[in-house]
Amino acid sequence: MKAPLREQLRAQSLPEDELSEAEQQLLRAVLDQELQAKWAQALAEKGVHRDAPKSRLRMLRPWLAVAATILLLAVAGWWFWGSPAPDGNQLLADEIGQLDAVSSVERSGNTQADSLRNRIATAYSNDSLQKALSGISVFIIDGTATVEDYVFAGICYLQSPEPDYAAAINAFLEARKFNSGRYNDDLYWYLGLAYGANGEKEKAIEELRPLVTGGKRKASEAAALIEALD
C-alpha cells in the first residue's frame, strides 16, 4: 500500500534551510495532483463525474443543429432577397457581344456579289467591322441588299468599337420590311437589344415581349432582359 504523501515527504532527506523555488513548485505540483485525485474520487462516490460537461454537450447538440439551420436559412434569405438585381446595361452588352453576324451572310449565286460577301465576312471575322460595313453598304446603296445584308449591317453597328445604335435600329427595321418569316424572331431580339442599348427601354420591352409569351428560342434571355430593363 502506498504511503501517505506526508510520510513520503518526511522520509526525504530535505536540507535544513528553506526549499528552493524550483523545489517548492515541484512540491505544489505533487500536492495539486494528489488533491485533484482525491476530489475526483470523492465526487465519483457522490455520483458526480468529471466528464459531466460532455454529457451536457450531447444534450445541447440538437439545439446547436437547430441554431445552425436557422443561421443557414438567414444567410440564404439575405443572398436571395438582398442580392443586387442584374444590371440591364451589362446584360445588353453581354448579349450584343454574343451575336454572330457571319451566320446571317447568304450567297445569292451571283459570283461577283458572293465574292464581295465572302470578303465582308472575312473582314468581320478579323474584327475589321468598319471594313465589313463599308462592303455591305455597296449592296444597300445600289438597292440590291437582302434581308441578310441588313441584319449583318445592324449587328456590325451594334458591335462596332463606337456603336451606332440608331443606325442598327434602322438596319433591322429595313430587314423587317422583307417580311421574311425566317427572321421574325431574330428581329424581335435584335431590335430589343438595339432599342435597349439606345436607351429606349419601352420599345425594347415591346420588341422582347413576343419572344417570352410565344415560348420562342430566346424566351429565357428575353425575360431576364425585360426584368432588368423594367
Side-chain angles (χ1 to χ4, degrees), residues 51-128:
D51 60 351
K54 295 182 180 179
S55 300
R56 290 196 296 271
L57 180 60
R58 286 195 294 269
M59 294 175 62
L60 288 174
R61 280 177 180 171
W63 296 103
L64 292 174
V66 172
T69 302
I70 293 173
L71 179 60
L72 181 61
L73 291 174
V75 172
W78 172 85
W79 182 88
F80 183 79
W81 297 108
S83 57
D87 180 73
N89 291 331
Q90 186 60 53
L91 281 179
L92 286 167
D94 292 343
E95 294 294 349
I96 289 173
Q98 294 176 28
L99 297 178
D100 181 14
V102 172
S103 63
S104 67
V105 176
E106 290 289 329
R107 306 302 185 265
S108 63
N110 182 305
T111 303
Q112 185 176 358
D114 288 345
S115 177
L116 177 55
R117 285 189 172 91
N118 287 337
R119 294 197 297 275
I120 292 169
T122 300
Y124 176 85
S125 298
N126 293 332
D127 293 328
S128 299

Side-chain angles (χ1 to χ4, degrees), residues 145-168:
T146 64
V147 59
E148 289 83 11
D149 293 330
Y150 279 110
V151 169
F152 184 97
I155 294 176
C156 286
Y157 281 125
L158 286 179
Q159 294 181 335
S160 175
E162 297 182 3
D164 189 338
Y165 301 127

Side-chain angles (χ1 to χ4, degrees), residues 4-223:
L5 180 61
R6 291 181 181 275
E7 293 182 9
Q8 294 181 42
L9 292 175
R10 291 193 187 99
Q12 302 298 321
S13 57
L14 299 175
E16 297 297 332
D17 54 353
E18 295 183 358
L19 296 174
S20 67
E21 181 63 29
E23 290 171 332
Q24 292 181 35
Q25 290 180 359
L26 179 60
L27 179 59
R28 281 196 293 268
V30 173
L31 291 174
D32 287 344
Q33 290 180 0
E34 189 74 14
L35 183 60
Q36 289 177 11
K38 289 182 178 180
W39 270 109
Q41 182 180 357
L43 291 173
E45 292 175 355
K46 299 289 186 178
V48 179
H49 300 280
R50 297 186 67 182
D51 60 351
K54 295 182 180 179
S55 300
R56 290 196 296 271
L57 180 60
R58 286 195 294 269
M59 294 175 62
L60 288 174
R61 280 177 180 171
W63 296 103
L64 292 174
V66 172
T69 302
I70 293 173
L71 179 60
L72 181 61
L73 291 174
V75 172
W78 172 85
W79 182 88
F80 183 79
W81 297 108
S83 57
D87 180 73
N89 291 331
Q90 186 60 53
L91 281 179
L92 286 167
D94 292 343
E95 294 294 349
I96 289 173
Q98 294 176 28
L99 297 178
D100 181 14
V102 172
S103 63
S104 67
V105 176
E106 290 289 329
R107 306 302 185 265
S108 63
N110 182 305
T111 303
Q112 185 176 358
D114 288 345
S115 177
L116 177 55
R117 285 189 172 91
N118 287 337
R119 294 197 297 275
I120 292 169
T122 300
Y124 176 85
S125 298
N126 293 332
D127 293 328
S128 299
L129 297 186
Q130 192 56 51
K131 186 177 180 179
L133 280 169
S134 298
I136 209 72
S137 66
V138 172
F139 300 111
I140 295 175
I141 291 172
D142 67 15
T144 60
T146 64
V147 59
E148 289 83 11
D149 293 330
Y150 279 110
V151 169
F152 184 97
I155 294 176
C156 286
Y157 281 125
L158 286 179
Q159 294 181 335
S160 175
E162 297 182 3
D164 189 338
Y165 301 127
I169 292 170
N170 289 333
F172 293 137
L173 290 175
E174 288 296 323
R176 180 170 278 173
K177 291 179 181 179
F178 284 81
N179 293 320
S180 174
R182 175 183 174 185
Y183 283 97
N184 282 347
D185 293 344
D186 289 329
L187 287 171
Y188 281 129
W189 180 242
Y190 297 150
L191 280 165
L193 296 178
Y195 278 126
N198 202 41
E200 300 178 78
K201 293 183 179 181
E202 291 183 1
K203 289 185 177 180
I205 293 173
E206 183 180 350
E207 292 288 344
L208 295 169
R209 189 166 285 123
L211 297 176
V212 179
T213 57
K216 307 296 184 179
R217 178 169 54 90
K218 286 287 186 178
S220 60
E221 293 89 340

